[in-house]
Amino acid sequence: GAVVSQHPSWVICKSGTSVKIECRSLDFQATTMFWYRQFPKQSLMLMATSNEGSKATYEQGVEKDKFLINHASLTLSTLTVTSAHPEDSSFYICSVGGHYNEQFFGPGTRLTVL
Amino acid sequence: GDSVTQMEGPVTLSEEAFLTINCTYTATGYPSLFWYVQYPGEGLQLLLKATKADDKGSNKGFEATYRKETTSFHLEKGSVQVSDSAVYFCALSTDGSSNTGKLIFGQGTTLQVKP
C-alpha cells in the first residue's frame, strides 16, 4: 500500500495563530486525499475530501474558512487551521485513497492550542 | 444515512484466547467493508477487507466474513497475542470501485491482551 507521512507529528501553538499540517504520499500518486479529526478515545470524523487541482469538499458542519485545504500536487496536501483556539486541539489524520476504496493513513498530527 | 456500529470496549482477554469483535452496518447499495487497526502511538493500518457479500477477508490470523443477510462483518481471531493489543475500527465505503469513496468508521474497540 501507499506510504503516507505527516509533518509535524506534534505542534503546540498559541490561541489565534495559524498552523499548517502537511500530508505527503511518498510512493503513490494521490488524486484524492482525506482529512480526519480524531478526539481522544473516539472514532475518526471525516472533515474533507481533497482532490488534486480542485477545491476540497467539506463535510457538513466543518468550517471551510477555518480549515483550509490545498492539494496542489499528486503527492502533497496541506491543512491549515486558521486562528486556532483550544477547542481545535485534536489529532488530525490524513489518508490517501487507494484502489477499491481502501485508504492508507498517515501517522497523524497532534495539535495543542494553548 | 450510512453507519457502522461496533461492540463497546474495552475487550480484555488472556493470551491465546478467542477473539470476536462485532460489527454491523447500515448502508444503501453494496458497500465495501474494512477492518483497520491502530496500535498505540501509530496511524491506522488496513487489517483486512471484503468487497462483496460472502467474501472473507483475512490477514495475520484475523478473519471477517461479509454477511449481507445480517449486515455484519465481525472480526475473529483464534488465538490472540499480547502484540494484538490495539484499537480496532470497522468501516464501510459505498462508492463502488473508485478510489474516491469516503470511509465511515465505527467508534472503535480497544483490545487489551494480557500475558
Side-chain angles (χ1 to χ4, degrees):
Chain A
V3 178
V4 182
S5 70
Q6 284 185 239
H7 178 79
S9 56
W10 190 17
V11 57
I12 301 173
C13 70
K14 292 183 179 180
S15 186
T17 60
S18 295
V19 173
K20 180 185 282 188
I21 301 169
E22 293 186 348
C23 175
R24 292 184 184 274
S25 177
L26 300 181
D27 58 354
F28 187 85
Q29 293 198 322
T31 54
T32 303
M33 290 183 169
F34 302 87
W35 286 97
Y36 294 85
R37 187 171 177 176
Q38 185 180 28
F39 292 99
K41 300 188 187 298
Q42 292 189 29
S43 189
L44 282 73
M45 182 192 78
L46 180 65
M47 299 174 66
T49 302
S50 166
N51 296 300
E52 187 263 336
S54 63
K55 291 183 178 180
T57 302
Y58 290 81
E59 295 299 300
Q60 195 171 10
V62 177
E63 298 175 61
K64 58 183 69 176
D65 293 331
K66 180 167 188 63
F67 298 100
L68 301 178
I69 292 172
N70 182 278
H71 190 164
S73 77
L74 290 172
T75 60
L76 174 65
S77 176
T78 60
L79 167 68
T80 301
V81 183
T82 62
S83 187
H85 291 284
E87 59 266 28
D88 299 323
S89 298
S90 191
F91 198 53
Y92 292 88
I93 303 172
C94 73
S95 71
V96 166
H99 301 296
Y100 306 109
N101 287 340
E102 62 193 75
Q103 292 180 21
F104 302 99
F105 288 81
T109 296
R110 183 163 303 284
L111 170 63
T112 301
V113 184
L114 303 178
Chain B
D2 299 341
S3 66
V4 176
T5 302
Q6 289 179 235
M7 62 187 288
E8 295 228 1
V11 174
T12 303
L13 295 173
S14 298
E15 209 164 21
E16 299 184 4
F18 185 86
L19 168 71
T20 300
I21 300 178
N22 290 337
C23 170
T24 56
Y25 67 89
T26 302
T28 53
Y30 303 97
S32 296
L33 300 174
F34 306 86
W35 276 100
Y36 282 85
V37 58
Q38 187 176 32
Y39 296 103
E42 298 184 18
L44 271 75
Q45 301 173 26
L46 178 64
L47 181 60
L48 54 84
K49 65 181 180 183
T51 57
K52 61 182 188 300
D54 299 326
D55 268 3
K56 178 186 281 189
S58 61
N59 186 27
K60 299 181 181 179
F62 291 90
E63 291 184 341
T65 301
Y66 189 142
R67 301 283 188 203
K68 190 167 182 290
E69 63 277 13
T70 54
T71 62
S72 65
F73 193 54
H74 305 322
L75 182 68
E76 296 181 336
K77 186 174 185 181
S79 176
V80 294
Q81 306 299 313
V82 172
S83 57
D84 293 326
S85 299
V87 182
Y88 292 81
F89 292 93
C90 184
L92 69 81
S93 179
T94 57
D95 243 349
S97 61
S98 74
N99 65 351
T100 58
K102 295 191 295 189
L103 283 175
I104 297 170
F105 285 89
Q107 65 268 42
T109 302
T110 299
L111 171 65
Q112 297 175 332
V113 181
K114 298 186 174 180

